[in-house]
Amino acid sequence: MEQLTGSIVALVTPMHEDGSVDYDALRKLIDWHIAEGTDCLGVVGTTGESPTVDVEEHCEIIRVTVEQAAGRVPV
């Protein structure tokens, strides 16, 4: 297993006013962090609103993050 080092960011999960996940904003946030030098992304932890999203949203947030990161940084 590769050791993770550097700047590891616990992402917030962007939400719309109605409480639904803002996937477009999430994609932009991921790209911004990677462009700014973040070395690893953590998603749907307590910073990422894991207590407020359901299981399907939880899985979709992970899927979108992995897809958007596209191997550029570990998730």
Side-chain angles (χ1 to χ4, degrees):
M1 178 184 283
E2 180 181 340
Q3 182 176 359
L4 300 176
T5 60
S7 174
I8 303 170
V9 173
L11 291 178
V12 297
T13 301
M15 303 285 204
H16 292 287
E17 290 286 326
D18 66 1
S20 63
V21 177
D22 185 342
Y23 290 103
D24 289 336
L26 178 60
R27 288 180 180 94
K28 290 175 186 174
L29 183 61
I30 292 162
D31 287 341
W32 181 85
H33 271 287
I34 293 170
E36 292 298 316
T38 295
D39 297 300
C40 181
L41 302 171
V43 292
V44 288
T46 54
T47 302
E49 291 71 52
S50 63
T52 60
V53 297
D54 63 28
V55 173
E56 291 171 0
E57 289 170 318
H58 189 110
C59 293
E60 184 65 5
I61 292 165
I62 295 169
R63 187 195 68 74
V64 167
T65 302
V66 169
E67 177 183 272
Q68 191 69 28
R72 296 177 287 170
V73 297
V75 175

